[in-house]
Every structure is written in C-alpha cells, then in structure tokens.
C-alpha cells in the first residue's frame, strides 16, 4: 500500500441473498486505491453495486471477500472518520441546522468553543447564515443537502463518502450544488468517494472517474480527469456550463458515455 | 379575536346543538316518567354541582385516571422502546401483550380487588391495565417507523447506542408515542367506570367514590336516570378537555412537526 493511499478496496466481493436460496453478486473482484486528497467518482448503471462499495467503505456493510482499509486500518464498522452524505439528506428533523451540524462533533468529544467555531465556519461556507435555528423541514432540498454536507465536512473525516448526494434535487439546484462543492473542495481539499449515475456530474467533479460494469459490478475502466482539468485549467470557470462547453470536457464525457453504452449493448444481447 | 371567530364557534357547535334539539323534540313528543329530558338533566346537573358531589366525584376520578395513566406510561413507553429495538425482547413479550390485549379491563376487576382490596389502588391498577396496551403498541410501531437512514447517519457519525436511543429513536418515535398516549388517556378515562366498581358502591356516598361509582349508585340503588345522564355528559366533557390539553403538551414537545 503506497503511503498516500487513504482508502483501499482490495479484491472485494459481495453477494446478496435473494428469495428461494438464490444469490445475486453485487460486486465482484473490485480493487481500488483512493489517494490522499483525491476526489474519486464512481459511475455506473443503477444496480451495479456502486452504493454497495460506498457502504462497505462506510462500514455499514461488509465484504464477503477481500478487504476494505481506511488509513491502513481494516474497516470494522461505521465511524466519524468516514462520514457519509446520503441522497435523502438524513437530517434529524427534531434538530435545528446548528444542532444537526453539531451532533457528530459532540460525539467525537470536541470542546464547546471549538465546536461553535467550526459550526460558524461551515454555516458561512455553505451560505446558511440566518438559518442556524431553523428546522430542516423549513428549508428547501438544496439547503437541506448543504446542511448535510456541512455536517460531514465539519467532522474533518479521513474520507468523505457521498452517495448520490444531488440525486434528489431538481436540475437547477443540482447545478448550483455542484459548483459549490467544487468551490468547497478547493477551500477544503478532502479525500472524497462520490457515487453518481450522472456522467456530466462525474466529469465536472472528479479527479478520477471509475466506470463500473452492470451486475456483477466490476471496474470497467478508470478515467483520469484531473490531468485534463489541470491542463485545460477548467477551474478558471465559475460556472458548470462554461466547463461543459470545453472540448476537453465534451471529449471525456463522450468517452465515459461510450463505456456505459457498451455495457448496455452487451447486456441487451 | 377576529370577526370570523363567533361564526366559526357557532359552526363547530352546530351538530351538538342539533342533537340536543332532536333530543328535546323527541322527549317532548313522547313523554314518560323516567325519560331524561334536557330540562330535567339540566336541573339534576345544577343540583349535583351545587351540592359539590359532581365536582368532587370528577376530581376523585381524575386522580385515579392520572395515577393509572402514569403507571401505564412509565411501564409502557420503556417496554415499547425495548421491544422496538431488541428483537429478543419483542419475540418474548409481544405474544403476551397480544394475548392480554383483548381481555377487557373489567375482567381483571376480581383480581384487582383480591390483590389490592377495594379502594383507590385497585381502581388505579384497572386504569393502568387498560391504558398500558395502546401505549406499548404505539411505542413499538413508532420505533419501527424511525427512518433507517437516520440510524445509519448516526452510526456513521460515531454516535453510541445509548445516545442514539435518546437523540434519534425517542424523538423519531415521539409522534407515534404521542398518539398512543392520547388513545391511552381516553381509554383510561373510559375504564374509570369499571375501575370504580372496585372502590365498592355505597348508597349516599356522595362524590367520594368518583364519577364511575356515582353512576353505579344511580343505576343500582337510587335509580336516577337524569343523574346518570349528567355523569355521562361530565365524563364526555372531561375526556374532550383532557385530550385538548394533551394535544397542546405534545405539540410543545415536538416543535419540529409544525
């Protein structure tokens, strides 16, 4: 394991029991190293086991074969060093915005003054000023997901796990959130494992995109986006659509689309 | 108060007023000696309130209802939480709960009297028995309905099990627990009639036996139908007010639901 590998999945396989003693293979022979500070996105057709991979990294599920390691330690269960942003936000409805962000911080035993400082920092960073004592149901979907992202970032985890975090948002809100996440990851570079089925989103956010095959989920190809991003200086654009207009972006997007379409064809024949 | 308020109040009492009018018209058209009529019932109510028997009886009954309700909640809520979170507890306790649930509170009257003697503690036991089931059943249902994603989210933030119980499961189940408590308070008040049979009927005992025993005395000893109707109305009005109070308390406890 190289020194800068933060999250490692090695030879991971996972089966699920179906009715009548049948089994479905969700993930097979899946090996992936996520480097320190890397934004890694897994794309794949629905049911390809990409969420299963994330859950195994989170410690919410365990591999049948192979190992999952974070920072050199085998994952034995969930923990605040691998906080998760869920598609359905998963905010506590009875806690205010500030209390939601504070919840995990309390459990890892951060002193009150430091907690207050960190909460204020992320409230500002995620444009949530004035909503500290609002309950989640009083906020729009986009704002709720900002609270959830703040709640995960504030824990300063070794790896941030994002399970289709923008999947439940409308198209405009989704675009704004993608831009904000890019800005946030520039201010606070973190090791991120991000799951999506949206190809544009993957290319826009990722340093590397892992394309998965249909069930059983394996790695079809790993596409390096980071080198193109840096070479073409995508980061000089503030808006998603400007980046998406770049020939280099279109090229990568089309390449990933083809990889996904090939499997579709294989699947149908 | 807005200008529309008197109109709204009138609309919300329209059906009760109509029922009283029908009652009045019917009993005037078909008069018999024993038929309770609105004027006779009003007179009986005035007498019973003036003598202090009715207020005292209601207060006596309320004390027993609150006692039994508190016992039921103190056992039912923790047991429901345990059943909802620990499989083994549910497997063991659920068959017991479900087989005792159809047994009416009045059926345990002989046992209550044998164990606790005639008096308030037997009445409290009967009320507690009746109120226990809706609380435990709704608490279990509430725990099971807690969003599994919230439990996963808490786990990924490293929250320990006891804190999860206190800060995720209890508030998540609270709306359902609240429904259970509201049903239970209604049931407890219903059971007071059965429960106060255990206090021992004494003719001329005034309000000391509670409103339930007063009804029994008016039925079995002095045969005063008008007074029974007054007691029925009193039970209904008190039940309505209790539910309103409990609803306000529960709303206060759950500021995130409105």
């Amino acid at each position: 394991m190289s020194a800068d590998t933060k999250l490692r999945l090695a030879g991971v396989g996972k089966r699920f029991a179906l009715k009548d003693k049948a089994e479905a293979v969700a993930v097979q022979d899946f090996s992936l190293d996520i480097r320190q500070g890397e934004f890694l996105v897994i794309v794949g057709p629905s049911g390809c086991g990409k969420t299963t991979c994330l859950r195994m990294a989170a410690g919410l599920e365990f591999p049948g074969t192979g190992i999952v390691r974070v920072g050199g330690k085998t994952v034995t269960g969930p923990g605040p060093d691998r906080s998760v942003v869920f598609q359905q936000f998963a905010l506590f409805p009875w806690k205010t915005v500030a209390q939601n962000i504070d919840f995990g911080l309390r459990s890892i035993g951060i002193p009150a003054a430091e907690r207050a400082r960190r909460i204020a920092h992320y409230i500002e960073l995620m444009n949530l000023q004035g909503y500290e004592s609002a309950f989640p149901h009083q906020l729009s979907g986009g704002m709720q997901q900002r609270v959830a992202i703040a709640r995960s970032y504030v824990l300063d985890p070794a790896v941030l796990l994002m399970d289709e975090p923008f999947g439940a948002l409308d198209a405009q809100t989704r675009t704004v959130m993608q831009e904000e996440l890019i800005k946030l990851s520039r201010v606070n570079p973190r090791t991120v494992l991000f799951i999506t089925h949206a190809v544009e989103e993957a290319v826009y956010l990722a340093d590397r995109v892992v394309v998965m095959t249909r069930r059983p989920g394996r790695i079809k190809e790993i596409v390096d986006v980071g080198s193109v991003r840096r070479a073409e200086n995508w980061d000089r654009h503030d808006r998603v659509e400007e980046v998406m207009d770049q020939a280099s972006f279109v090229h990568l997007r089309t390449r990933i689309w083809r990889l996904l379409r090939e499997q579709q064809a294989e699947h149908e024949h | 108060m807005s200008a529309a308020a008197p109109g709204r109040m009138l609309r919300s009492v329209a059906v009760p007023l109509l029922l009283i009018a029908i009652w009045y018209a019917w009993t005037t058209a078909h008069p018999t000696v024993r038929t309770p009529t609105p004027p006779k019932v009003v007179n009986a109510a005035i007498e019973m309130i003036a003598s202090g028997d009715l207020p005292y009886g209601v207060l006596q009954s309320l004390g027993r209802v609150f006692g039994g309700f508190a016992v039921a909640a103190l056992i039912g809520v923790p047991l429901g939480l345990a059943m909802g979170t620990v499989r083994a507890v549910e497997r063991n306790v659920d068959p017991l709960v479900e087989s005792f649930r159809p047994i009416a509170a009045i059926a345990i009257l002989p046992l209550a009297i044998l164990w606790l003697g005639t008096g308030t503690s037997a009445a409290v036991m009967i009320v507690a028995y009746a109120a226990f089931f809706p609380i435990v059943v709704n608490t279990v249902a509430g725990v099971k309905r807690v969003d599994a994603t919230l439990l996963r989210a808490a786990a990924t933030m490293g929250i320990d099990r006891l804190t999860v119980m206190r800060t995720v499961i209890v508030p998540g189940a609270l709306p359902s627990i609240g429904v259970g408590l509201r049903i239970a308070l209604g049931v407890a008040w219903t059971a007071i009639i059965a429960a106060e049979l255990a206090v021992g009927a004494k003719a001329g005992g005034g309000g000391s036996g509670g409103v339930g025993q007063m009804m029994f005395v008016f039925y079995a000893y002095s045969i005063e139908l008008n007074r029974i109707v007054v007691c029925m109305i009193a039970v209904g009005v008190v039940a309505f007010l209790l539910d309103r109070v409990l609803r306000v308390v529960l709303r206060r406890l759950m500021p995130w639901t409105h």
Side-chain angles (χ1 to χ4, degrees):
Chain A
M1 186 164 187
S2 75
D4 71 343
T5 296
K6 204 73 189 176
L7 169 64
R8 161 168 285 187
L9 291 99
V12 166
K14 174 84 181 170
R15 292 159 185 271
F16 287 105
L18 299 174
K19 271 184 278 183
D20 306 326
K21 291 182 182 171
E23 276 189 335
V25 182
V27 181
Q28 201 172 49
D29 195 26
F30 190 97
S31 294
L32 181 67
D33 282 0
I34 301 179
R35 295 188 282 261
Q36 166 81 44
E38 181 176 40
F39 201 119
L40 189 130
V41 179
I42 301 181
V43 286
S46 55
C48 73
K50 54 193 190 293
T51 290
T52 304
C53 290
L54 179 132
R55 286 193 175 180
M56 287 190 285
L60 294 168
E61 279 175 29
F62 298 96
T65 59
I67 50 156
V68 179
R69 289 175 160 235
V70 170
K73 275 188 226 138
T74 302
V75 170
T76 55
D81 59 327
R82 285 153 290 129
S83 59
V84 181
V85 179
F86 297 89
Q87 185 178 1
Q88 295 304 330
F89 319 144
L91 297 177
F92 299 99
W94 43 87
K95 289 182 181 290
T96 63
V97 167
Q99 287 168 342
N100 263 288
I101 300 173
D102 190 34
F103 193 36
L105 281 178
R106 278 172 177 272
S107 83
I108 54 177
I110 309 272
E114 170 65 8
R115 293 202 324 255
R117 197 194 61 74
R118 281 207 213 174
I119 293 165
H121 176 67
Y122 279 97
I123 292 262
E124 199 191 325
L125 216 54
M126 297 309 288
N127 286 318
L128 291 163
Q129 300 101 314
Y131 292 94
E132 290 87 345
S133 40
F135 286 110
H137 80 273
Q138 296 168 314
L139 308 178
S140 67
M143 290 190 74
Q144 290 190 41
Q145 196 57 302
R146 278 186 219 172
V147 178
I149 290 170
R151 182 176 75 174
S152 287
Y153 263 86
V154 81
L155 293 175
D156 210 359
V159 185
L160 255 165
L161 304 169
M162 300 197 176
D163 187 9
E164 301 200 37
F166 307 145
L169 303 176
D170 64 80
Q172 283 90 350
T173 309
R174 191 176 185 138
T175 306
V176 173
M177 294 299 292
Q178 289 164 355
E179 289 168 356
E180 294 203 356
L181 188 56
I182 281 279
K183 282 178 204 149
L184 186 64
S185 59
R186 264 180 232 147
V187 183
N188 287 312
R190 289 287 150 72
T191 311
V192 180
L193 173 60
F194 188 106
I195 307 293
T196 185
H197 58 260
V199 175
E200 278 91 354
E201 182 168 274
V203 178
Y204 181 65
L205 294 172
D207 292 319
R208 282 192 299 162
V209 175
V210 172
V211 182
M212 279 183 80
T213 62
R214 204 169 273 277
R215 185 167 282 184
R218 291 197 189 94
I219 294 178
K220 169 119 184 152
E221 199 164 322
I222 299 179
V223 179
D224 181 12
V225 178
S227 60
V228 180
R229 174 195 306 283
R230 281 186 296 276
E232 299 284 323
N233 197 11
W234 290 353
D235 287 359
R236 71 179 186 276
H237 303 288
D238 278 339
R239 290 168 173 274
V240 171
E241 62 269 26
E242 289 164 3
V243 177
M244 286 186 181
D245 257 356
Q246 305 295 310
S248 52
F249 184 96
V250 174
H251 176 77
L252 282 172
R253 188 191 62 189
T254 308
R255 189 172 149 210
I256 291 169
W257 262 121
R258 284 219 178 92
L259 289 166
L260 289 167
R261 284 294 279 269
E262 277 167 26
Q263 308 166 41
Q264 187 104 22
E266 282 162 23
H267 185 73
E268 278 162 9
H269 293 133
Chain B
M1 192 182 272
S2 73
R8 207 180 321 127
M9 259 167 76
L10 197 66
R11 274 199 296 280
S12 57
V13 295
V15 172
L17 285 177
L18 181 70
L19 289 175
I20 291 169
I22 293 171
W23 175 25
Y24 188 80
W26 183 266
T27 51
T28 313
H30 308 274
T32 65
V33 182
R34 285 205 170 156
T35 307
T37 64
K40 285 191 211 164
V41 169
V42 169
N43 282 335
I46 291 168
E47 283 169 33
M48 289 166 76
I49 293 167
S51 71
D53 284 355
L54 185 64
Y56 184 55
V58 167
L59 276 179
Q60 284 285 314
S61 298
L62 272 177
R64 293 175 186 133
V65 164
F66 285 141
F69 177 75
V71 169
L74 287 174
I75 299 172
V77 173
L79 183 64
L81 292 173
M83 285 170 72
T85 45
V86 185
R87 237 323 156 59
V89 175
E90 191 189 15
R91 284 210 179 133
N92 280 280
V93 179
D94 183 64
L96 282 174
V97 168
E98 288 306 320
S99 42
F100 275 100
R101 196 148 73 100
I103 301 171
I106 198 162
I108 69 156
L109 182 67
L111 277 178
I113 292 173
L114 271 173
W115 288 341
L116 300 167
T118 56
T120 292
S121 35
V124 167
M125 177 182 161
I126 291 164
V127 170
Y129 175 85
F132 169 77
F133 296 101
I135 294 176
V136 79
V137 169
N138 282 285
T139 303
V140 173
V143 172
K144 300 232 161 138
R145 270 204 298 271
V146 174
D147 186 355
T149 313
L150 293 183
L151 296 174
R152 273 187 223 119
T156 61
M157 286 186 265
I159 316 290
D160 63 272
R161 286 190 66 169
L162 212 65
T163 311
V164 167
M165 175 58 96
R166 189 169 54 79
T167 59
V168 182
I169 295 175
V170 169
L174 200 53
S176 184
I177 296 173
V179 169
L181 292 175
R182 277 182 59 201
I183 297 172
L185 191 57
V187 167
W189 191 233
T190 309
I192 195 68
I193 311 299
E196 284 174 346
L197 292 176
V199 181
K202 318 186 262 291
S208 65
V211 70
Q213 200 205 91
M214 284 167 75
M215 286 173 83
F216 185 68
V217 170
F218 296 144
Y219 155 68
Y221 293 73
S222 54
I223 317 181
E224 293 170 277
L225 286 177
N226 295 320
R227 293 188 165 220
I228 292 181
V229 174
V230 171
C231 289
M232 286 165 63
I233 293 171
V235 166
V237 169
V238 171
F240 172 77
L241 294 175
L242 281 180
D243 186 57
R244 283 298 149 107
V245 170
L246 188 54
R247 272 158 86 160
V248 170
V249 171
L250 288 169
R251 260 179 82 89
R252 290 268 166 86
L253 274 175
M254 294 180 273
W256 66 89
T257 55
H258 47 82

